Amino acid sequence: MNASEFRRRGKEMVDYVADYLEGIEGRQVFPDVDPGYLRPLIPTTAPQEPETFEAIIEDVEKIIMPGVTHWHSPYFFAYFPTASSYPAMLADMLCGAIGCIGFSWAASPACTELETVMMDWLGKMLQLPEAFLAGEAGEGGGVIQGTASEATLVALLAARTKVTRRLQAASPELTQAAIMEKLVAYASDQAHSSVEKAGLIGGVRLKAIPSDGKFAMRASALQEALERDKAAGLIPFFVVATLGTTSCCSFDNLLEVGPICHKEGLWLHVDAAYAGSAFICPEFRHLLNGVEFADSFNFNPHKWLLVNFDCSAMWVKRTDLTGAFRLDPVYLRHSHQDSGLITDYRHWQLPLGRRFRSLKMWFVFRMYGVKGLQAYIRKHVQLSHAFEALVRQDTRFEICAEVILGLVCFRLKGSNKLNEALLESINSAKKIHLVPCSLRDRFVLRFAICSRTVELAHVQLAWEHIQEMAATVLRAQGEEKAEIKN
């Protein structure tokens, strides 16, 4: 493919993408395929001779699209949003064209410097403390990770290195292995499974702190666990506080947990993967109060801020983080690395290579503006409250957690089995897509406002469908009970 054909095919692809997104509402939100559907549809080996672009696009519709879950459909209400916007897609095209691998400033100065500035832009939108901003020569700064899971692991490994060095400086006879076997990390019992995975990869035990009646981690429960473990000779070193849990969008109490971590010398990592985008709105910024106690903070603009995946924003106090990952082989050194004026992001992350992801932030922030992004967040929150109101009007249902942002947790009044049957019937119909969670051993349905194009009419149609499925399930249950009785 030469430049001339690329121009032509590129325009065709843009048209295809625009047609796909404009017509996505007409596609079945969840695919009707069985595992292994794709392999019989394609050859067992790559072609020896080139094929045409037309043939490939034809196969996209015949082979790929039938197996796609359409995350950007206005009838997709599962998981959490995944961001999508035209400015971000255009920026991704430019990122692919430039194709730099921005592990250091010298590898591509613009890639490094734009990321530093964009993370400061976003940090200021969130009103983060100055300690987290790079500024002209700040001690903090932001970095784009691939996911919140990576950010949690990076923070845990940095905290592990920090506490190990501190203890060995005080007691040189201590081995790393002796310290490692006593290290303990903590998170709420509502924390994401990626926190547990970080503990597994980091080789440290992770303890779940029981949450309160609002599914939040509180100071008293954390303090009790710390005292118990210290008395047993263990070494607490790391705490993850979640703002906007995956199950029900609950918020750990940072203003309580933060001072304890500060007093005990524990690294506090704040995971706001979904909810963090909302903090650009003044009316939701209070949910971030207490972040000043954190050592690291992360959220995903690729969830709810119209910046396409992958773009997970993490802020840290850089010396503690980069000191844990710094390696300087000769082939990666450059003449400006010790100037103090620039950042080499290879010291901030697990992989060496990185894409020019800050272009997406730059395009989106400039083409939407802060006010446009705020309006987008507010619309989703309003739609979630509209759905909550619909649920509350039907006495067969109950709301299971406070609705704060764009997630509603609800269920039929009755057994877990009844609600499992309801979810199965909803997803089998494939008109909308939902996923469940477990709250205090209760099977609960989650309704997340996800799509960029979702409107009140879609929410209302989804609720009518849920009501129809509920009536069918309840009728079947009544008939089952009648048969048993007879």
Side-chain angles (χ1 to χ4, degrees):
M1 182 181 286
N2 57 27
S4 176
E5 186 179 4
F6 174 72
R7 291 177 191 276
R8 182 161 57 95
R9 300 306 190 187
K11 291 170 185 175
E12 290 174 9
M13 180 57 77
V14 167
D15 284 340
Y16 180 85
V17 170
D19 289 344
Y20 165 70
L21 291 173
E22 284 190 327
I24 198 170
E25 185 174 341
R27 294 181 185 257
Q28 185 172 282
V29 64
F30 193 78
D32 191 17
V33 296
D34 295 320
Y37 90 95
L38 188 143
R39 183 173 287 276
L41 301 179
I42 60 176
T44 56
T45 59
Q48 294 296 314
E49 300 294 334
E51 296 187 17
T52 66
F53 185 77
E54 287 89 351
I56 296 170
I57 290 298
E58 185 178 332
D59 281 348
V60 167
E61 278 297 330
K62 279 171 41 180
I63 298 171
I64 302 302
M65 285 301 177
V68 170
T69 299
H70 298 287
W71 280 64
H72 302 295
S73 166
Y75 295 113
F76 182 91
F77 301 104
Y79 310 107
F80 273 133
T82 181
S84 176
S85 69
Y86 294 118
M89 290 181 220
L90 293 173
D92 256 344
M93 289 175 63
L94 180 57
C95 171
I98 293 172
C100 64
I101 311 298
F103 49 79
S104 70
W105 180 87
S108 189
C111 179
T112 292
E113 295 197 17
L114 185 64
E115 182 163 335
T116 302
V117 175
M118 286 303 98
M119 291 300 293
D120 273 4
W121 273 21
L122 185 52
K124 290 174 182 177
M125 287 186 218
L126 300 168
Q127 300 177 47
L128 287 182
E130 286 290 327
F132 284 112
L133 304 181
E136 293 294 326
E139 294 185 4
V143 56
I144 301 174
Q145 304 285 2
T147 65
S149 305
E150 287 178 47
T152 300
L153 176 58
V154 164
L156 182 142
L157 295 176
R160 190 186 72 181
T161 299
K162 182 180 180 181
V163 70
T164 299
R165 288 175 178 172
R166 186 182 75 221
L167 292 172
Q168 287 183 322
S171 305
E173 73 281 1
L174 278 176
T175 65
Q176 184 173 346
I179 295 170
M180 283 278 293
E181 67 181 11
K182 293 185 177 181
L183 292 179
V184 189
Y186 305 86
S188 162
D189 58 12
Q190 300 298 312
H192 193 269
S193 60
S194 61
V195 179
E196 184 178 358
K197 181 180 282 190
L200 289 172
I201 297 172
V204 300
R205 72 190 82 188
L206 176 75
K207 295 197 173 182
I209 304 300
S211 54
D212 69 5
K214 290 190 174 183
F215 306 103
M217 178 166 61
R218 303 294 299 274
S220 56
L222 176 61
Q223 189 72 63
E224 182 181 333
L226 294 175
E227 296 304 325
R228 185 170 57 247
D229 288 343
K230 286 190 294 183
L234 300 176
I235 305 172
F237 80 107
F238 184 70
V239 174
V240 177
T242 305
L243 302 182
T245 59
T246 301
S247 292
C248 64
C249 199
S250 58
F251 289 77
D252 289 341
N253 195 314
L254 267 189
L255 288 171
E256 289 186 2
V257 170
I260 291 177
C261 294
H262 181 72
K263 181 185 71 172
E264 299 283 350
L266 309 177
W267 184 298
L268 175 59
H269 176 68
V270 176
D271 175 11
Y274 161 67
S277 297
F279 304 154
I280 69 169
C281 298
E283 65 268 33
F284 300 124
R285 175 54 179 79
H286 69 279
L287 297 168
L288 188 57
N289 289 349
V291 71
E292 60 271 17
F293 295 106
D295 297 275
S296 52
F297 166 70
N298 168 257
F299 86 96
N300 292 341
H302 69 229
K303 275 193 169 69
W304 204 14
L305 208 59
L306 296 171
V307 180
N308 291 31
F309 188 87
D310 59 341
C311 182
S312 188
M314 180 185 187
W315 290 266
V316 293
K317 294 161 184 170
R318 75 171 73 183
T319 52
D320 288 336
L321 182 75
T322 58
F325 301 112
R326 189 177 187 93
L327 292 171
D328 273 321
V330 171
Y331 50 80
L332 294 179
R333 294 177 189 167
H334 57 88
S335 58
H336 297 286
Q337 67 181 35
D338 297 318
S339 67
L341 298 174
I342 55 92
T343 293
D344 279 352
Y345 277 119
R346 61 191 170 92
H347 302 309
W348 297 57
Q349 61 178 16
L350 298 176
L352 174 63
R354 58 204 338 270
R355 297 184 301 112
F356 202 162
R357 292 175 291 201
S358 56
L359 282 171
K360 293 183 288 191
M361 300 171 74
W362 195 43
F363 275 45
V364 168
F365 295 165
R366 293 181 68 183
M367 295 193 75
Y368 278 90
V370 175
K371 290 183 178 179
L373 295 171
Q374 289 171 335
Y376 177 69
I377 297 291
R378 287 168 177 147
K379 177 183 175 181
H380 275 203
V381 175
Q382 289 166 0
L383 290 175
S384 73
H385 285 296
F387 181 79
E388 177 193 13
L390 292 170
V391 175
R392 291 191 183 279
Q393 290 168 16
D394 190 326
T395 57
R396 299 172 299 174
F397 289 87
E398 59 184 334
I399 297 292
C400 304
E402 183 181 1
V403 179
I404 300 174
L405 297 177
L407 176 68
V408 182
C409 291
F410 71 106
R411 71 196 302 270
L412 278 170
K413 294 173 182 175
S415 67
N416 284 346
K417 182 180 178 182
L418 176 67
N419 282 280
E420 288 170 8
L422 173 58
L423 182 64
E424 172 65 24
S425 66
I426 290 169
N427 285 338
S428 293
K430 296 181 172 63
K431 290 186 177 180
I432 65 173
H433 190 43
L434 306 180
V435 294
C437 68
S438 178
L439 295 176
R440 302 283 187 262
D441 296 323
R442 294 201 305 167
F443 188 89
V444 173
L445 282 64
R446 298 168 73 263
F447 189 95
I449 305 297
C450 293
S451 171
R452 176 175 55 84
T453 59
V454 66
E455 300 289 348
L456 180 59
H458 300 115
V459 172
Q460 291 170 331
L461 283 170
W463 174 239
E464 290 170 8
H465 179 62
I466 291 168
Q467 286 182 306
E468 290 172 10
M469 295 296 101
T472 301
V473 168
L474 288 169
R475 186 163 55 248
Q477 183 195 51
E479 291 170 356
E480 183 181 313
K481 286 182 178 178
E483 285 181 15
I484 294 172
K485 186 176 181 181
N486 293 333

mmCIF file of all heavy atoms in Angstrom, residues 103-132:
data_model
loop_
_atom_site.group_PDB
_atom_site.id
_atom_site.type_symbol
_atom_site.label_atom_id
_atom_site.label_comp_id
_atom_site.label_asym_id
_atom_site.label_seq_id
_atom_site.Cartn_x
_atom_site.Cartn_y
_atom_site.Cartn_z
ATOM 1 N N PHE A 103 10.217 5.906 25.529
ATOM 2 C CA PHE A 103 10.701 5.485 26.850
ATOM 3 C C PHE A 103 11.574 6.537 27.526
ATOM 4 O O PHE A 103 11.746 6.519 28.737
ATOM 5 C CB PHE A 103 11.457 4.156 26.758
ATOM 6 C CG PHE A 103 12.499 4.099 25.671
ATOM 7 C CD1 PHE A 103 13.742 4.697 25.843
ATOM 8 C CD2 PHE A 103 12.231 3.438 24.492
ATOM 9 C CE1 PHE A 103 14.704 4.635 24.844
ATOM 10 C CE2 PHE A 103 13.187 3.369 23.486
ATOM 11 C CZ PHE A 103 14.428 3.972 23.655
ATOM 12 N N SER A 104 12.146 7.450 26.738
ATOM 13 C CA SER A 104 12.973 8.510 27.320
ATOM 14 C C SER A 104 12.717 9.810 26.578
ATOM 15 O O SER A 104 12.146 9.828 25.482
ATOM 16 C CB SER A 104 14.465 8.154 27.224
ATOM 17 O OG SER A 104 14.909 8.201 25.870
ATOM 18 N N TRP A 105 13.198 10.894 27.166
ATOM 19 C CA TRP A 105 13.054 12.191 26.514
ATOM 20 C C TRP A 105 13.734 12.174 25.149
ATOM 21 O O TRP A 105 13.179 12.635 24.152
ATOM 22 C CB TRP A 105 13.656 13.280 27.396
ATOM 23 C CG TRP A 105 13.562 14.659 26.817
ATOM 24 C CD1 TRP A 105 12.528 15.536 26.945
ATOM 25 C CD2 TRP A 105 14.552 15.309 25.996
ATOM 26 N NE1 TRP A 105 12.789 16.698 26.262
ATOM 27 C CE2 TRP A 105 14.030 16.592 25.671
ATOM 28 C CE3 TRP A 105 15.810 14.944 25.517
ATOM 29 C CZ2 TRP A 105 14.739 17.489 24.884
ATOM 30 C CZ3 TRP A 105 16.513 15.847 24.734
ATOM 31 C CH2 TRP A 105 15.981 17.103 24.422
ATOM 32 N N ALA A 106 14.928 11.604 25.086
ATOM 33 C CA ALA A 106 15.680 11.588 23.833
ATOM 34 C C ALA A 106 14.989 10.743 22.771
ATOM 35 O O ALA A 106 15.143 11.000 21.575
ATOM 36 C CB ALA A 106 17.095 11.062 24.079
ATOM 37 N N ALA A 107 14.228 9.739 23.183
ATOM 38 C CA ALA A 107 13.552 8.873 22.221
ATOM 39 C C ALA A 107 12.474 9.630 21.452
ATOM 40 O O ALA A 107 12.102 9.237 20.344
ATOM 41 C CB ALA A 107 12.947 7.666 22.933
ATOM 42 N N SER A 108 11.946 10.693 22.023
ATOM 43 C CA SER A 108 11.016 11.602 21.355
ATOM 44 C C SER A 108 10.633 12.703 22.337
ATOM 45 O O SER A 108 9.730 12.519 23.161
ATOM 46 C CB SER A 108 9.764 10.880 20.862
ATOM 47 O OG SER A 108 8.994 11.740 20.040
ATOM 48 N N PRO A 109 11.321 13.835 22.281
ATOM 49 C CA PRO A 109 11.071 14.900 23.261
ATOM 50 C C PRO A 109 9.605 15.316 23.366
ATOM 51 O O PRO A 109 9.088 15.511 24.470
ATOM 52 C CB PRO A 109 11.956 16.049 22.757
ATOM 53 C CG PRO A 109 13.093 15.346 22.073
ATOM 54 C CD PRO A 109 12.466 14.143 21.400
ATOM 55 N N ALA A 110 8.916 15.445 22.233
ATOM 56 C CA ALA A 110 7.521 15.889 22.280
ATOM 57 C C ALA A 110 6.648 14.881 23.009
ATOM 58 O O ALA A 110 5.729 15.257 23.750
ATOM 59 C CB ALA A 110 6.990 16.112 20.865
ATOM 60 N N CYS A 111 6.905 13.595 22.803
ATOM 61 C CA CYS A 111 6.123 12.544 23.460
ATOM 62 C C CYS A 111 6.217 12.665 24.966
ATOM 63 O O CYS A 111 5.212 12.569 25.685
ATOM 64 C CB CYS A 111 6.618 11.170 22.990
ATOM 65 S SG CYS A 111 5.770 9.776 23.736
ATOM 66 N N THR A 112 7.430 12.895 25.468
ATOM 67 C CA THR A 112 7.636 13.028 26.908
ATOM 68 C C THR A 112 7.049 14.322 27.437
ATOM 69 O O THR A 112 6.304 14.335 28.424
ATOM 70 C CB THR A 112 9.138 12.966 27.226
ATOM 71 O OG1 THR A 112 9.619 11.652 26.946
ATOM 72 C CG2 THR A 112 9.403 13.296 28.686
ATOM 73 N N GLU A 113 7.367 15.426 26.799
ATOM 74 C CA GLU A 113 6.991 16.729 27.356
ATOM 75 C C GLU A 113 5.496 16.978 27.291
ATOM 76 O O GLU A 113 4.913 17.568 28.207
ATOM 77 C CB GLU A 113 7.783 17.833 26.660
ATOM 78 C CG GLU A 113 9.282 17.724 26.933
ATOM 79 C CD GLU A 113 10.050 18.998 26.626
ATOM 80 O OE1 GLU A 113 9.399 20.080 26.499
ATOM 81 O OE2 GLU A 113 11.292 18.945 26.542
ATOM 82 N N LEU A 114 4.829 16.526 26.217
ATOM 83 C CA LEU A 114 3.382 16.715 26.150
ATOM 84 C C LEU A 114 2.691 15.913 27.246
ATOM 85 O O LEU A 114 1.713 16.384 27.843
ATOM 86 C CB LEU A 114 2.839 16.308 24.780
ATOM 87 C CG LEU A 114 1.345 16.587 24.586
ATOM 88 C CD1 LEU A 114 1.041 18.079 24.642
ATOM 89 C CD2 LEU A 114 0.839 16.001 23.260
ATOM 90 N N GLU A 115 3.183 14.715 27.531
ATOM 91 C CA GLU A 115 2.580 13.905 28.594
ATOM 92 C C GLU A 115 2.687 14.608 29.938
ATOM 93 O O GLU A 115 1.722 14.659 30.713
ATOM 94 C CB GLU A 115 3.248 12.535 28.659
ATOM 95 C CG GLU A 115 2.635 11.617 29.715
ATOM 96 C CD GLU A 115 3.003 10.161 29.514
ATOM 97 O OE1 GLU A 115 3.307 9.763 28.375
ATOM 98 O OE2 GLU A 115 2.966 9.409 30.510
ATOM 99 N N THR A 116 3.854 15.181 30.222
ATOM 100 C CA THR A 116 4.038 15.882 31.493
ATOM 101 C C THR A 116 3.068 17.049 31.616
ATOM 102 O O THR A 116 2.441 17.254 32.662
ATOM 103 C CB THR A 116 5.487 16.395 31.608
ATOM 104 O OG1 THR A 116 6.385 15.288 31.498
ATOM 105 C CG2 THR A 116 5.720 17.076 32.942
ATOM 106 N N VAL A 117 2.916 17.797 30.526
ATOM 107 C CA VAL A 117 2.029 18.966 30.549
ATOM 108 C C VAL A 117 0.569 18.534 30.624
ATOM 109 O O VAL A 117 -0.234 19.127 31.374
ATOM 110 C CB VAL A 117 2.280 19.862 29.325
ATOM 111 C CG1 VAL A 117 1.269 21.013 29.294
ATOM 112 C CG2 VAL A 117 3.696 20.414 29.351
ATOM 113 N N MET A 118 0.184 17.513 29.860
ATOM 114 C CA MET A 118 -1.207 17.054 29.892
ATOM 115 C C MET A 118 -1.587 16.518 31.280
ATOM 116 O O MET A 118 -2.710 16.717 31.749
ATOM 117 C CB MET A 118 -1.443 15.972 28.841
ATOM 118 C CG MET A 118 -1.497 16.475 27.407
ATOM 119 S SD MET A 118 -2.761 17.756 27.146
ATOM 120 C CE MET A 118 -1.752 19.238 27.261
ATOM 121 N N MET A 119 -0.669 15.830 31.925
ATOM 122 C CA MET A 119 -0.971 15.332 33.271
ATOM 123 C C MET A 119 -1.105 16.482 34.266
ATOM 124 O O MET A 119 -1.884 16.405 35.216
ATOM 125 C CB MET A 119 0.106 14.347 33.717
ATOM 126 C CG MET A 119 0.085 13.026 32.938
ATOM 127 S SD MET A 119 -1.473 12.124 33.084
ATOM 128 C CE MET A 119 -1.432 11.685 34.819
ATOM 129 N N ASP A 120 -0.381 17.561 34.039
ATOM 130 C CA ASP A 120 -0.584 18.759 34.864
ATOM 131 C C ASP A 120 -1.923 19.411 34.550
ATOM 132 O O ASP A 120 -2.637 19.870 35.454
ATOM 133 C CB ASP A 120 0.552 19.757 34.644
ATOM 134 C CG ASP A 120 1.744 19.509 35.560
ATOM 135 O OD1 ASP A 120 1.728 18.513 36.318
ATOM 136 O OD2 ASP A 120 2.705 20.307 35.531
ATOM 137 N N TRP A 121 -2.274 19.481 33.258
ATOM 138 C CA TRP A 121 -3.594 20.019 32.892
ATOM 139 C C TRP A 121 -4.694 19.255 33.628
ATOM 140 O O TRP A 121 -5.585 19.857 34.243
ATOM 141 C CB TRP A 121 -3.814 19.861 31.389
ATOM 142 C CG TRP A 121 -3.300 20.951 30.512
ATOM 143 C CD1 TRP A 121 -2.329 21.866 30.811
ATOM 144 C CD2 TRP A 121 -3.720 21.235 29.170
ATOM 145 N NE1 TRP A 121 -2.115 22.687 29.736
ATOM 146 C CE2 TRP A 121 -2.946 22.330 28.720
ATOM 147 C CE3 TRP A 121 -4.649 20.662 28.307
ATOM 148 C CZ2 TRP A 121 -3.104 22.870 27.445
ATOM 149 C CZ3 TRP A 121 -4.805 21.197 27.025
ATOM 150 C CH2 TRP A 121 -4.052 22.289 26.598
ATOM 151 N N LEU A 122 -4.621 17.932 33.532
ATOM 152 C CA LEU A 122 -5.675 17.108 34.123
ATOM 153 C C LEU A 122 -5.644 17.208 35.648
ATOM 154 O O LEU A 122 -6.689 17.264 36.297
ATOM 155 C CB LEU A 122 -5.512 15.656 33.672
ATOM 156 C CG LEU A 122 -6.592 14.660 34.090
ATOM 157 C CD1 LEU A 122 -7.988 15.159 33.724
ATOM 158 C CD2 LEU A 122 -6.338 13.293 33.460
ATOM 159 N N GLY A 123 -4.452 17.233 36.221
ATOM 160 C CA GLY A 123 -4.345 17.393 37.670
ATOM 161 C C GLY A 123 -4.967 18.686 38.154
ATOM 162 O O GLY A 123 -5.608 18.728 39.216
ATOM 163 N N LYS A 124 -4.821 19.742 37.378
ATOM 164 C CA LYS A 124 -5.436 21.023 37.751
ATOM 165 C C LYS A 124 -6.949 20.985 37.591
ATOM 166 O O LYS A 124 -7.680 21.614 38.362
ATOM 167 C CB LYS A 124 -4.828 22.145 36.915
ATOM 168 C CG LYS A 124 -3.378 22.443 37.296
ATOM 169 C CD LYS A 124 -2.741 23.453 36.351
ATOM 170 C CE LYS A 124 -1.278 23.687 36.723
ATOM 171 N NZ LYS A 124 -0.600 24.604 35.778
ATOM 172 N N MET A 125 -7.440 20.251 36.590
ATOM 173 C CA MET A 125 -8.898 20.065 36.462
ATOM 174 C C MET A 125 -9.469 19.421 37.720
ATOM 175 O O MET A 125 -10.585 19.730 38.147
ATOM 176 C CB MET A 125 -9.223 19.169 35.271
ATOM 177 C CG MET A 125 -9.049 19.782 33.902
ATOM 178 S SD MET A 125 -9.660 18.599 32.649
ATOM 179 C CE MET A 125 -8.458 18.846 31.356
ATOM 180 N N LEU A 126 -8.696 18.499 38.309
ATOM 181 C CA LEU A 126 -9.131 17.777 39.506
ATOM 182 C C LEU A 126 -8.823 18.527 40.793
ATOM 183 O O LEU A 126 -9.180 18.062 41.877
ATOM 184 C CB LEU A 126 -8.427 16.412 39.572
ATOM 185 C CG LEU A 126 -8.656 15.449 38.420
ATOM 186 C CD1 LEU A 126 -7.668 14.295 38.501
ATOM 187 C CD2 LEU A 126 -10.078 14.911 38.437
ATOM 188 N N GLN A 127 -8.137 19.657 40.673
ATOM 189 C CA GLN A 127 -7.672 20.418 41.832
ATOM 190 C C GLN A 127 -6.801 19.550 42.750
ATOM 191 O O GLN A 127 -6.945 19.558 43.972
ATOM 192 C CB GLN A 127 -8.853 20.994 42.617
ATOM 193 C CG GLN A 127 -9.725 21.941 41.806
ATOM 194 C CD GLN A 127 -10.928 22.437 42.592
ATOM 195 O OE1 GLN A 127 -10.784 22.859 43.750
ATOM 196 N NE2 GLN A 127 -12.103 22.376 41.999
ATOM 197 N N LEU A 128 -5.881 18.804 42.138
ATOM 198 C CA LEU A 128 -4.953 18.009 42.931
ATOM 199 C C LEU A 128 -3.975 18.917 43.672
ATOM 200 O O LEU A 128 -3.648 20.008 43.193
ATOM 201 C CB LEU A 128 -4.161 17.060 42.025
ATOM 202 C CG LEU A 128 -4.891 15.850 41.448
ATOM 203 C CD1 LEU A 128 -3.915 15.007 40.624
ATOM 204 C CD2 LEU A 128 -5.519 14.997 42.527
ATOM 205 N N PRO A 129 -3.492 18.478 44.820
ATOM 206 C CA PRO A 129 -2.476 19.254 45.532
ATOM 207 C C PRO A 129 -1.241 19.481 44.665
ATOM 208 O O PRO A 129 -0.894 18.651 43.824
ATOM 209 C CB PRO A 129 -2.146 18.370 46.742
ATOM 210 C CG PRO A 129 -3.353 17.517 46.946
ATOM 211 C CD PRO A 129 -3.912 17.269 45.570
ATOM 212 N N GLU A 130 -0.559 20.597 44.892
ATOM 213 C CA GLU A 130 0.627 20.934 44.108
ATOM 214 C C GLU A 130 1.683 19.838 44.157
ATOM 215 O O GLU A 130 2.464 19.669 43.214
ATOM 216 C CB GLU A 130 1.239 22.247 44.622
ATOM 217 C CG GLU A 130 0.463 23.491 44.243
ATOM 218 C CD GLU A 130 0.561 23.792 42.756
ATOM 219 O OE1 GLU A 130 1.615 23.500 42.148
ATOM 220 O OE2 GLU A 130 -0.416 24.320 42.193
ATOM 221 N N ALA A 131 1.725 19.075 45.249
ATOM 222 C CA ALA A 131 2.738 18.027 45.404
ATOM 223 C C ALA A 131 2.642 16.971 44.318
ATOM 224 O O ALA A 131 3.603 16.236 44.074
ATOM 225 C CB ALA A 131 2.611 17.364 46.781
ATOM 226 N N PHE A 132 1.496 16.873 43.646
ATOM 227 C CA PHE A 132 1.319 15.875 42.594
ATOM 228 C C PHE A 132 1.612 16.426 41.199
ATOM 229 O O PHE A 132 1.579 15.666 40.228
ATOM 230 C CB PHE A 132 -0.112 15.328 42.612
ATOM 231 C CG PHE A 132 -0.377 14.359 43.723
ATOM 232 C CD1 PHE A 132 -1.226 14.694 44.765
ATOM 233 C CD2 PHE A 132 0.223 13.113 43.728
ATOM 234 C CE1 PHE A 132 -1.477 13.801 45.787
ATOM 235 C CE2 PHE A 132 -0.016 12.212 44.744
ATOM 236 C CZ PHE A 132 -0.864 12.550 45.788
#
